[in-house]
Amino acid sequence: EKHELKKLKARKRVRKYRQNQNEEQREAIKRKNREQVKAARENESHEKREARRKQNREQAKAAREAESDTKREARRKLNREQAKAARNAESEEQRETRMKQRREHTNYKGAH
């Protein structure tokens, strides 16, 4: 009886050892799979980001090309008005500096 009891205990220990080994293997496989999925997701997200940026550029280009003359003129008019408002807000000293730079630039352009 003692001998049978020892055999049972030994089997139990072996079974427990094997269960632990299997569990560790399963955990290692799960970890590896998680890392692979994460790496794939990061690569995919980078590719998706690049694709989205490219699509945005193409849409913006198409929108500019499709813009009607009246819309284009309205946008330019708005830009001119904003520039004019900015000039009106500048001080006399800033205006003098800007005009001086403009004259120098014009002289430079005329010299070539």
Side-chain angles (χ1 to χ4, degrees), residues 100-112:
K100 183 181 175 188
Q101 288 172 341
R102 194 171 178 185
R103 279 193 301 275
E104 288 171 358
H105 182 68
T106 306
N107 290 342
Y108 177 77
K109 275 174 53 179
H112 288 79

Side-chain angles (χ1 to χ4, degrees), residues 5-30:
L5 202 62
K6 277 186 176 183
K7 275 170 62 176
L8 282 174
K9 284 183 179 179
R11 276 195 215 127
K12 202 174 185 181
R13 282 194 303 269
V14 168
R15 197 178 306 125
K16 191 73 175 168
Y17 172 79
R18 286 184 182 153
Q19 282 177 344
N20 287 341
Q21 289 296 102
N22 290 341
E23 185 64 32
E24 288 174 13
Q25 283 180 335
R26 277 196 292 275
E27 284 300 317
I29 290 169
K30 282 182 185 177

Side-chain angles (χ1 to χ4, degrees), residues 38-106:
K38 185 179 177 185
R41 198 178 300 132
E42 286 172 358
N43 290 339
E44 183 185 53
S45 65
H46 177 71
E47 290 166 7
K48 280 185 178 177
R49 193 177 321 125
E50 286 302 312
R52 182 173 40 79
R53 287 177 179 165
K54 184 178 179 184
Q55 187 180 18
N56 287 347
R57 283 192 298 268
E58 289 170 357
Q59 286 175 345
K61 185 178 179 184
R64 282 192 305 272
E65 289 170 355
E67 189 178 45
S68 68
D69 289 342
T70 53
K71 279 187 177 178
R72 189 176 299 118
E73 201 46 52
R75 181 172 47 79
R76 288 178 178 164
K77 183 179 178 185
L78 179 66
N79 287 346
R80 282 194 299 270
E81 289 170 356
Q82 288 173 340
K84 186 176 181 182
R87 283 194 303 273
N88 289 341
E90 71 186 359
S91 68
E92 188 64 34
E93 189 176 311
Q94 289 170 323
R95 185 174 289 120
E96 286 297 318
T97 304
R98 183 174 50 79
M99 293 305 284
K100 183 181 175 188
Q101 288 172 341
R102 194 171 178 185
R103 279 193 301 275
E104 288 171 358
H105 182 68
T106 306

